[in-house]
Amino acid sequence: KFYQTRDGKLLLDNNSSEQEFKFRNSNHWIVNNGLKFEFGFDIKNTLNNYNHFYNEYQDLLGQKTPSLVMNSKLNTFKAGVFANMNLEVLPNLTFVPGVRADYYEYNKTTNVSPRLSLTYALDELTSLTASFGMFYQNIPFVIAAQNDNFKNLKNPKSYQYILGFNHLLTESTKLTVEVYNKDYFDFPMDPSQPNHFLFDQAVTENLFLVHSSLLSGGEANSKGIEITLQKKLAKDFYGLIAGSYSKATYKGLDNVWRDRVYDNRFNFAVEGGYKPNNDWEFSLRWLYAGGAPFTPFDEAASRASFKGVLDETKVNSQRLPDFHSLNIRADKRFHFEKTTMIIYLSIWNAYARENIAAYSWNEIDNQPDKEKMWGLLPVFGIEYEF
């Protein structure tokens, strides 16, 4: 049950059950060292019983949405077959074509997804990779079950392209560089919110709400570069350094491209540890992410309704402050004959950075407010392995 903060109004009453039964078969046939096959099938049966009450509410654009009682069963299945071939064309060139076909009983659709990858070894230490894949995704059941007409919606699909470079710097240190581009099509969109991306609603409103009409007109794109330097535990030290630059955008029903809520642009991570012996281990993790886009409030409209109303002319036009945080940890191990006890102390956000998760509307004080992440937090724990 979800209640409105200011007046205690019931917004959502959800008394539902969701069950899934999955079966998968995978087979491997090795013809020789240069030719291998993998093939199989999988089946997923879904038994969902939705008993939802969505009360009348004001959405983030200030629009009134009528109440809805959803009392329906969604019993359906999805079946798929897949196959791929691993062919060593030359001693240093591997060719892997594949295909997958899925049938989705709920909307009576069959999707065929080809995939292809190539790996070229320049030498024993360096290799280049290239891959392409087509992928389909079903609309979340909690949305699909809201209206029988939603059976006519298309399954969202994506085309993904990846180029990679791998180089072994030492026996324990590997450098990986990947460049990717992903194009997405046929996302469901609400015509009453033509400039908002429906699949991001779970982030902006913390749940999927009711929609009376949806169209398969949304598009999106994600592209970027990722660089990773990884050192395995060869002596006393291990570590990982990873950085990326990415751009995630979407096109609404108004044909305007905008940044998605996941568009942090820059991400950087440093993880590592030191194990002087089998009894002690010291580790740390430092994370950095650029500020995610958000839509500011129309403060005049929000104050008038005592509820946050977004400024529709500035969708995802502003950004949260950058995020960064340091976690440190020390482990002490006590070894017994057949068991091990570990006592550890961890400090989260060790330098007490004030990171902002989002801006929300405080319905009690009737003004914008910050949603802060954890401050400095010590964590003590005991683990027992046997």
Side-chain angles (χ1 to χ4, degrees), residues 40-297:
F41 67 92
D42 49 47
I43 300 173
K44 180 171 70 173
N45 189 45
T46 302
L47 304 174
N48 293 345
N49 185 10
Y50 290 111
N51 185 2
H52 282 187
F53 168 66
Y54 295 93
N55 208 341
E56 178 188 30
Y57 76 99
Q58 176 182 294
D59 67 18
L60 289 175
L61 299 181
Q63 302 173 136
K64 295 294 184 180
T65 299
S67 61
L68 170 70
V69 175
M70 186 171 72
N71 192 355
S72 62
K73 293 183 179 181
L74 195 154
N75 299 337
T76 187
F77 73 89
K78 180 179 179 180
V81 295
F82 59 90
N84 64 65
M85 176 180 68
N86 189 304
L87 176 63
E88 191 176 289
V89 181
L90 299 170
N92 58 346
L93 178 62
T94 303
F95 176 61
V96 185
V99 66
R100 179 180 176 88
D102 290 285
Y103 174 72
Y104 187 31
E105 191 269 339
Y106 181 73
N107 58 4
K108 303 294 191 297
T109 57
T110 300
N111 301 130
V112 179
S113 311
R115 289 93 187 267
L116 175 66
S117 69
L118 292 169
T119 301
Y120 181 73
L122 298 175
D123 52 44
E124 294 181 353
L125 303 178
T126 310
S127 66
L128 301 174
T129 60
S131 61
F132 162 79
M134 185 176 179
F135 301 86
Y136 285 88
Q137 180 179 347
N138 303 130
I139 296 171
F141 290 129
V142 71
I143 295 177
Q146 291 180 5
N147 192 320
D148 283 341
N149 292 329
F150 293 171
K151 291 182 178 181
N152 299 321
L153 294 172
K154 298 179 180 179
N155 295 327
K157 64 182 177 182
S158 70
Y159 299 95
Q160 303 187 12
Y161 310 84
I162 302 174
L163 295 175
F165 169 82
N166 298 278
H167 180 66
L168 199 62
L169 298 175
T170 68
E171 290 184 358
S172 61
T173 307
K174 182 180 180 180
L175 172 67
T176 302
V177 180
E178 285 192 343
V179 180
Y180 64 89
N181 183 79
K182 303 176 183 181
D183 294 312
Y184 303 88
F185 302 92
D186 300 329
F187 276 107
M189 300 287 289
D190 190 333
S192 69
Q193 302 176 2
N195 51 6
H196 284 259
F197 198 62
L198 177 65
F199 271 31
D200 291 347
Q201 186 182 65
V203 177
T204 57
E205 300 210 50
N206 299 312
L207 74 163
F208 287 119
L209 294 170
V210 62
H211 298 273
S212 59
S213 177
L214 293 177
L215 302 173
S216 296
E219 297 182 23
N221 176 265
S222 178
K223 55 191 172 188
I225 180 171
E226 298 179 354
I227 303 174
T228 304
L229 183 65
Q230 182 178 13
K231 184 183 185 305
K232 297 181 180 180
L233 180 62
K235 293 183 179 179
D236 300 332
F237 293 93
Y238 61 91
L240 171 72
I241 300 175
S244 68
Y245 173 81
S246 61
K247 184 174 177 60
T249 57
Y250 72 93
K251 185 173 74 170
L253 295 179
D254 57 358
N255 291 320
V256 177
W257 284 91
R258 297 179 176 86
D259 295 334
R260 290 191 65 182
V261 295
Y262 302 99
D263 185 47
N264 295 95
R265 298 293 172 90
F266 291 98
N267 287 275
F268 189 75
V270 178
E271 299 182 42
Y274 171 61
K275 295 185 68 172
N277 51 52
N278 291 330
D279 297 332
W280 285 95
E281 180 178 356
F282 305 92
S283 59
L284 62 82
R285 172 188 292 178
W286 186 76
L287 301 175
Y288 168 86
F294 74 96
T295 304
F297 291 109

Side-chain angles (χ1 to χ4, degrees), residues 24-31 35-40 82 84-86:
R24 177 179 172 87
N25 166 262
S26 181
N27 307 278
H28 299 267
W29 177 28
I30 302 175
V31 180
L35 180 60
K36 304 173 185 177
F37 291 93
E38 181 186 5
F39 55 92
F82 59 90
N84 64 65
M85 176 180 68
N86 189 304

